[in-house]
């Protein structure tokens, strides 16, 4: 799978100025810079066409296009990621966890999208820090898991990316402001860069670990903590 990361430019600017630079990939991933703030009220009222632009770009490039954005649902703000494939908006995933004191609240679902490039699981922002996020998407047969974050702060995002890829046996990629990374199923970082446009070829492979747990004596089901 060929993936192109746009870590700094907006979707509109790439469409006008850099189409040749992002073409010939299977998946194009923008950070939260791609769409900015999207108001569902304005989208439904026809005042803006951010999601339509995303779908149009995917049709123009014949690619899957994934883009981070903040969504305003009539005054309720969430961190979200939208995905389109060959002219069709497939959906919008929200960050499922709300951290600390923030105006952005927890949203909906974890979802694996069946696309022309394969089955893509989406993780939004700090959901990466919760192991069950990657586990759910891997159990739903994701070929690859893509996480879009606002910006990289400290080493923890890369640590969790590597741990998630290893523990779940699915390659995971990260796109944030001025940064992109790829972790393979062995937990190795195969790409780590800070350019505005970064390209990577990812081998789709899966590894399912057989796990045995002690179940005599004092025992608590591992999944009961989630």
């Amino acid at each position: 799978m060929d993936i192109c990361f746009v870590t700094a430019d907006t979707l509109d600017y790439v469409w006008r100025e850099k189409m040749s630079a992002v073409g010939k990939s299977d998946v194009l991933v923008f950070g939260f810079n791609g769409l900015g703030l999207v108001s569902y009220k304005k989208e439904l009222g026809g005042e803006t066409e951010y999601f339509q632009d995303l779908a149009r770009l995917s049709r123009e490039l014949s690619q899957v296009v994934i883009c981070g954005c903040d969504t305003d649902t009539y005054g309720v703000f969430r961190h979200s990621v939208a995905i389109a494939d060959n002219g069709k908006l497939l959906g919008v995933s929200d960050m499922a966890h709300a951290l600390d004191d923030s105006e952005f609240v927890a949203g909906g679902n974890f979802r694996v999208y069946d696309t022309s490039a394969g089955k893509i699981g989406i993780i939004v922002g700090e959901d990466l820090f919760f192991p069950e996020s990657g586990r759910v998407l891997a159990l739903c047969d994701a070929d690859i898991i893509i996480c879009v974050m606002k910006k990289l702060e400290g080493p923890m995002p890369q640590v969790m990316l590597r741990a998630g890829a290893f523990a779940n046996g699915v390659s995971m990629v990260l796109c944030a402001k001025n940064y992109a990374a790829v972790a393979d199923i062995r937990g190795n970082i195969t790409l780590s860069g800070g350019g505005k446009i970064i390209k990577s070829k990812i081998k789709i492979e899966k590894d399912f670990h057989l796990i045995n747990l002690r179940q005599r004596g004092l025992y608590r089901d591992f999944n009961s903590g989630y």
Side-chain angles (χ1 to χ4, degrees):
M1 181 186 292
D2 293 323
I3 298 185
C4 179
F5 301 94
V6 179
T7 68
D9 295 321
T10 66
L11 184 146
D12 181 63
Y13 178 75
V14 167
W15 198 341
R16 288 185 289 106
E17 304 291 340
K18 295 187 176 182
M19 289 288 278
S20 60
V22 300
K24 299 181 180 180
S25 297
D26 300 308
V27 181
L28 177 62
V29 184
F30 289 84
F32 275 81
N33 48 278
L35 290 178
L37 178 64
V38 180
S39 165
Y40 281 116
K41 181 179 179 180
K42 291 182 179 180
E43 287 285 291
L44 293 171
E47 297 178 55
T48 60
E49 296 183 343
Y50 289 112
F51 291 146
Q52 287 189 45
D53 286 344
L54 183 73
R56 292 186 187 115
L57 180 61
S58 72
R59 181 180 59 207
E60 186 77 16
L61 293 170
S62 297
Q63 294 177 6
V64 177
V65 181
I66 296 169
C67 193
C69 58
D70 292 327
T71 52
D72 174 6
T73 309
Y74 295 88
V76 178
F77 296 93
R78 296 183 175 93
H79 298 309
S80 307
V81 170
I83 177 170
D85 185 13
N86 287 308
K88 180 180 179 181
L89 181 68
L90 299 184
V92 180
S93 292
D94 299 325
M95 193 167 81
H97 301 87
L99 295 180
D100 302 322
D101 186 18
S102 171
E103 65 175 319
F104 292 92
V105 302
N109 53 36
F110 294 110
R111 182 176 171 185
V112 174
Y113 295 90
D114 198 354
T115 76
S116 59
K119 295 180 180 179
I120 298 177
I122 298 294
I123 290 179
V124 185
E126 282 73 23
D127 281 348
L128 179 64
F129 299 152
F130 297 84
E132 62 268 30
S133 304
R135 173 182 292 184
V136 166
L137 296 171
L139 289 175
C140 290
D141 201 29
D143 293 322
I144 191 169
I145 296 173
I146 296 177
C147 175
V148 182
M149 300 189 77
K150 279 214 163 184
K151 59 182 179 179
L152 205 68
E153 294 183 344
M156 193 54 63
Q158 193 181 84
V159 170
M160 295 304 294
L161 189 78
R162 297 177 65 182
F166 173 77
N168 297 304
V170 180
S171 294
M172 294 180 63
V173 307
L174 171 66
C175 183
K177 184 177 181 181
N178 296 318
Y179 181 79
V182 177
D184 66 17
I185 62 173
R186 287 160 288 279
N188 298 320
I189 291 292
T190 60
L191 170 77
S192 178
K196 289 186 176 181
I197 295 179
I198 305 169
K199 293 187 177 182
S200 177
K201 189 175 185 66
I202 300 173
K203 180 181 178 182
I204 299 301
E205 53 183 345
K206 297 182 182 180
D207 184 25
F208 299 95
H209 302 288
L210 296 176
I211 300 173
N212 227 340
L213 297 176
R214 173 176 178 260
Q215 296 189 16
R216 290 181 297 174
L218 291 174
Y219 165 76
R220 180 170 63 90
D221 181 11
F222 178 76
N223 291 312
S224 66
Y226 294 99

